[in-house]
Amino acid sequence: MTNDKTMSIDFTVAIPTYNSANRLTKLLDKLRQQTDLDQITWEIIVVDNNSTDNTAQVVQEYQENWLADVPLTYILEPEQGAAYARLRAVKEAQGELIGFLDDDNLPNPDWIVQAHTFAKNHPQAGALSGQIHGEFEVEPPENFQRIQAFLAIREHGSTPHQFEPQNLRLPTAAALVVRRKAWQESVPQRPHLKGRLAGSMLGGEDYEPLLYMHKAGWEIWYHPDLHTYHQIPHWRLERDYLLSISRGCGLATCQLRMVNAKPWQKPLIIIRNLLGSLRRVVLQFLKYRGQFKTNLIAACEMEFFWGSLISSFLVVKRSSLT
């Protein structure tokens, strides 16, 4: 089934995916079970970001026996990077609201109706996110909650509130709902941060669009009744992966602070980020000296602080090349 361009759509579920055909089937099954949608028209767009597995075939098989009144569309996005997959999803989406779900996120049955109702009641919300719980193949390490945000696990309590973009306190793009109008009016077509590509764990692509929306005056909200579950396989809890993703999150810090900065502010931001990160590195070293080989969580925090420190130099290097 393909999109009927004349059909009025309230909500688009956009699924960026890469070589995850097995996970995609679980997500599509969950979406088939969404409830209380009698008054909401919706569609699903699967954006295949150059998969080499049978993703296209899986979507085709689901299209043959899909919900009659819910368009299910397959799109190939050849430009590699999660940021480009999301940009393509926004370009193709027909819904007033776009709910991004990574292929390893499983939403509650009321995910769409919860997001739609909250956005309707908060017309200045350019984006909103909820609780993302971890479902682990193996038991996570002790004190894992200190670094769980690096794996897009977010649990911010039971009270709705606005995020703080000015402090880089923002939701992840996993299970993020955006207002299409806010994205189209605010987010440029060529992002600085493209997503984690081969050979690089540089993050930050989740936050960049939200910072543009914030600059344009849109609010970014947390809705505690919006629940999804992030599937965490055993290899994502291995030491090398956790250290790598922790550093990758840190490496984007200074560049993200530059997104909405005025030219005269940029040197000050670089210096402040450099000194603040250096302070955190020193304090972490003094607190956990001699423990970094045995205390994985402390080691991951140190990698994040080092990444944030290095991010200042990456911004300076990039500026010198442009």
Side-chain angles (χ1 to χ4, degrees):
M1 182 182 294
T2 57
N3 278 344
D4 178 354
K5 299 298 183 181
T6 64
M7 180 179 179
S8 176
I9 301 292
D10 298 315
F11 197 99
T12 297
V13 176
I15 307 171
T17 187
Y18 174 71
N19 283 350
S20 300
N22 291 337
R23 296 202 300 251
L24 186 60
T25 60
K26 295 180 181 179
L27 174 52
L28 290 173
D29 288 341
K30 282 289 185 182
L31 289 172
R32 194 194 295 268
Q33 299 166 17
Q34 290 292 295
T35 59
D36 299 322
L37 296 179
D38 294 341
Q39 304 301 315
I40 300 173
T41 56
W42 61 294
E43 65 174 351
I44 300 173
I45 298 175
V46 178
V47 183
D48 183 350
N49 201 197
N50 279 331
S51 298
T52 56
D53 64 1
N54 63 329
T55 291
Q57 179 183 347
V58 165
V59 177
Q60 183 178 5
E61 290 172 355
Y62 270 81
Q63 286 173 327
E64 293 172 356
N65 188 31
W66 190 245
L67 304 170
D69 56 348
V70 180
L72 172 59
T73 304
Y74 170 88
I75 295 168
L76 177 65
E77 173 47 57
E79 191 156 13
Q80 202 70 45
Y84 294 118
R86 294 182 187 116
L87 283 165
R88 181 64 183 275
V90 173
K91 180 180 179 181
E92 301 289 342
Q94 299 297 302
E96 175 189 354
L97 299 170
I98 303 170
F100 290 106
L101 286 170
D102 286 354
D103 50 39
D104 55 4
N105 292 146
L106 302 180
N108 259 13
D110 64 348
W111 190 78
I112 292 176
V113 70
Q114 284 282 354
H116 184 268
T117 301
F118 191 89
K120 185 177 180 180
N121 293 333
H122 296 78
Q124 279 304 113
L128 62 109
S129 183
Q131 303 202 52
I132 305 176
H133 312 285
E135 286 197 349
F136 302 96
E137 184 179 6
V138 297
E139 190 70 21
E142 186 178 359
N143 295 320
F144 176 74
Q145 68 276 6
R146 282 165 39 189
I147 65 164
Q148 66 180 10
F150 298 151
L151 291 183
I153 298 172
R154 307 294 176 92
E155 296 161 323
H156 299 303
S158 59
T159 304
H161 60 263
Q162 290 190 48
F163 286 95
E164 301 174 18
Q166 67 277 13
N167 296 320
L168 296 187
R169 292 175 184 162
L170 287 164
T172 177
L176 177 73
V177 179
V178 302
R179 201 175 299 274
R180 183 160 58 103
K181 173 181 169 63
W183 183 296
Q184 290 177 331
E185 291 180 351
S186 311
V187 181
Q189 287 298 306
R190 302 301 299 180
H192 293 298
L193 298 166
K194 303 172 178 60
R196 297 179 175 92
L197 303 173
S200 171
M201 291 295 284
L202 177 63
E205 80 283 355
D206 291 20
Y207 288 3
E208 187 177 358
L210 297 174
L211 290 170
Y212 290 122
M213 290 186 208
H214 169 65
K215 182 180 181 180
W218 292 95
E219 298 169 353
I220 316 296
W221 277 86
Y222 169 71
H223 177 29
D225 295 329
L226 198 62
H227 295 273
T228 54
Y229 296 83
H230 189 187
Q231 311 301 293
I232 308 292
H234 67 89
W235 56 268
R236 284 189 176 174
L237 295 176
E238 293 176 356
R239 181 181 179 89
D240 287 347
Y241 180 84
L242 287 174
L243 292 175
S244 178
I245 199 170
S246 298
R247 176 172 285 209
C249 290
L251 287 172
T253 303
C254 193
Q255 191 154 312
L256 287 169
R257 296 189 187 282
M258 292 292 188
V259 169
N260 292 332
K262 296 179 174 62
W264 65 268
Q265 295 174 317
K266 293 184 177 182
L268 298 176
I269 290 173
I270 293 172
I271 295 171
R272 183 183 301 171
N273 188 80
L274 181 65
L275 294 177
S277 299
L278 180 60
R279 177 178 178 273
R280 290 191 291 178
V281 166
V282 171
L283 291 176
Q284 188 79 350
F285 176 78
L286 293 175
K287 184 175 182 179
Y288 295 103
R289 180 171 41 190
Q291 301 180 41
F292 292 112
K293 289 186 177 180
T294 57
N295 189 330
L296 176 57
I297 302 305
C300 288
E301 291 172 334
M302 179 63 100
E303 285 298 306
F304 174 76
F305 298 151
W306 270 118
S308 181
L309 178 67
I310 295 169
S311 72
S312 294
F313 297 102
L314 293 179
V315 168
V316 172
K317 180 180 179 181
R318 177 175 181 148
S319 299
S320 67
L321 295 176
T322 58

